Amino acid sequence: MASAPSLKIPNPSPAASATSRDRLHLLVTIPSTVASPTSPRRRSPSLAVAFAAASASAASINGSGVPKINGHPRINGFEPAAGLRVAFQGAPGAYSEFAAKTALLGCDTLPCRAFAEAISAVERGLADRAILPVESTMEGAALRNYDLLLRHDLRVVQEISLFVNYCLLAMPGVSPAEVRRVISHPVALAHCGRALAQLGLHRCEPVEDTAGAVEMLRSNRLLDTAAIASPRAALLYGLDVLAHGLQDESWNVTRFLLLAAPTSLAAAGAAVHPKETPLKTSMVVAHRGGSMVVLLKVLSAFSRRNINLTKLEVINSSSKEDKAPVFILDVKAKGTLRAFPHVLYVDFEGSTEDPKAMEAIDEISQTAELVRILGCYAADPNVYDLH
């Protein structure tokens, strides 16, 4: 497979974690004590900082001498998942599929046309888990799969962060000068806008997903078209790589969540972790009054109990501003779907079995109208790539 010289990759930009549209997106740490920058006290970094620190911390996860992926210890200490079925959105070769196969060694994957179909596959028993991208360093939480998750009764059982390296792929023998059009997922096209302009490629057409673009390219033998996808997709479909590292921001990482039905063996098994495994809990807090009151209550409840937050996203919607409310399935009220104008997504360090965490959740529940635990799972600060 031929390979052209890589594009010069620009330096990371602070804009990668900027606020997404009308959403206040905060990825923060609530320290238990005020510490100096040189303090050795462990803290929970923001998403972008956690990504940067992942390589340094990888060796300490699960100890040494265990099977490794990309040089890192096996994710969360789970055993290989041969036979486990994981539904993902996209065609074979999609980033979501690679994330699933990295997180669950030996799993079988089920391609779906839409994220909703992947979730439905788990609900119908066609798959054991679904994998969804939920946030990235370039888009923040603009990937609205959190909203989709809230409408269904699935549990977050695992997380994985994947470095996304976009490549320009073409049919074998096609040169860069012959390319007149580029196809890919709309997000991939947006992430590579500057690089494509540098190459003089201004005709860009969106398709359903990156792997679907590669599949279209190959099946139709398009000799004037290139696709943006992963280097693994190039190997899978036998295409040439015309350029590496197309993404406008060099540090391009996407976080994925794996979901399971609450009654499934996958969910039950994932809820059991060795005592030394650091845990993370995801929850959503919804209310109808002023958003600041509940926000301060959340911050206070966790801070006073020395519990660190690793994610805090505040969503405010208003009928006056024509912003749609967030719909949440109330699993405690016979599966009623309820609409809320104010929602907080919260990730915190620890388990719902921790007495302090239980106290914090109870305190928040006295102010909020709805509190729902989305899942408790092993925290994984590593970033995995496709090489």
Side-chain angles (χ1 to χ4, degrees):
M1 181 180 68
S3 177
S6 300
L7 290 176
K8 182 179 181 180
I9 299 176
N11 292 327
S13 166
S17 58
T19 301
S20 170
R21 298 184 177 88
D22 58 348
R23 298 170 185 269
L24 175 61
H25 183 225
L26 303 174
L27 294 167
V28 300
T29 296
I30 310 302
S32 58
T33 59
V34 178
S36 67
T38 58
S39 171
R41 185 185 62 79
R42 181 177 182 273
R43 68 184 183 90
S44 171
S46 69
L47 183 64
V49 176
F51 288 155
S55 296
S57 63
S60 65
I61 303 298
N62 295 332
S64 59
V66 297
K68 296 186 176 183
I69 305 172
N70 296 334
H72 296 295
R74 186 177 58 223
I75 284 186
N76 296 341
F78 289 135
E79 295 299 324
L84 199 66
R85 301 163 299 172
V86 183
F88 70 97
Q89 185 276 329
Y95 287 97
S96 291
E97 182 183 36
F98 290 131
K101 287 181 174 294
T102 302
L104 298 168
L105 297 177
C107 71
D108 297 324
T109 52
L110 175 65
C112 301
R113 291 184 60 86
F115 293 115
E117 289 184 16
I119 287 180
S120 177
V122 176
E123 293 176 327
R124 294 160 55 198
L126 301 177
D128 301 296
R129 297 189 190 181
I131 186 167
L132 301 180
V134 291
E135 58 199 24
S136 77
T137 52
M138 293 187 70
E139 290 287 322
L143 306 170
R144 293 320 315 159
N145 285 326
Y146 274 117
D147 294 353
L148 184 60
L149 171 60
L150 297 185
R151 295 169 178 258
H152 298 267
D153 186 17
L154 298 183
R155 299 290 188 272
V156 181
V157 295
Q158 195 173 344
E159 67 174 348
I160 177 173
S161 295
L162 188 70
F163 179 77
V164 177
N165 177 30
Y166 288 124
C167 296
L168 191 65
L169 312 182
M171 290 292 295
V174 172
S175 68
E178 296 176 278
V179 176
R180 298 288 180 270
R181 179 180 65 153
V182 178
I183 58 176
S184 193
H185 188 276
V187 172
L189 293 173
H191 285 181
C192 303
R194 290 201 303 267
L196 292 175
Q198 291 175 16
L199 293 174
L201 298 173
H202 302 287
R203 184 184 172 190
C204 301
E205 297 180 9
V207 295
E208 288 185 350
D209 61 271
T210 56
V214 172
E215 196 174 55
M216 182 187 306
L217 186 70
R218 186 72 189 182
S219 61
N220 294 294
R221 298 190 59 80
L222 303 175
L223 301 181
D224 65 342
T225 302
I228 296 175
S230 71
R232 286 282 184 89
L235 292 173
L236 182 64
Y237 289 91
L239 299 178
D240 287 353
V241 179
L242 302 183
H244 292 274
L246 282 180
Q247 57 272 14
D248 293 337
E249 304 296 337
S250 59
W251 192 239
N252 184 23
V253 178
T254 297
R255 180 185 179 218
F256 296 82
L257 296 179
L258 287 103
L259 314 175
T263 56
S264 71
L265 292 177
V272 179
H273 305 282
K275 291 182 179 180
E276 67 275 9
T277 302
L279 299 179
K280 178 187 291 185
T281 298
S282 295
M283 61 184 287
V284 63
V285 180
H287 54 107
R288 302 183 189 279
S291 61
M292 189 57 66
V293 174
V294 176
L295 172 60
L296 294 176
K297 174 61 71 175
V298 169
L299 294 174
S300 173
F302 285 109
S303 180
R304 287 190 292 103
R305 294 173 175 85
N306 302 330
I307 300 175
N308 290 333
L309 304 186
T310 59
K311 173 185 174 68
L312 174 59
E313 181 183 358
V314 183
I315 300 176
N316 293 315
S317 60
S318 170
S319 57
K320 295 181 180 179
E321 299 178 9
D322 196 29
K323 297 178 182 177
V326 177
F327 287 89
I328 303 176
L329 185 69
D330 189 345
V331 295
K332 295 181 179 180
K334 298 181 180 180
T336 303
L337 200 61
R338 303 170 63 185
F340 292 94
H342 308 295
V343 172
L344 283 76
Y345 294 107
V346 180
D347 287 354
F348 66 85
E349 292 180 344
S351 165
T352 51
E353 301 299 320
D354 186 320
K356 290 185 177 180
M358 294 173 64
E359 290 176 5
I361 294 171
D362 288 342
E363 182 177 331
I364 295 169
S365 299
Q366 295 175 13
T367 302
E369 188 165 340
L370 182 147
V371 174
R372 177 178 153 191
I373 303 299
L374 301 178
C376 179
Y377 47 97
D380 189 348
N382 298 317
V383 175
Y384 300 83
D385 61 28
L386 300 180
H387 299 291

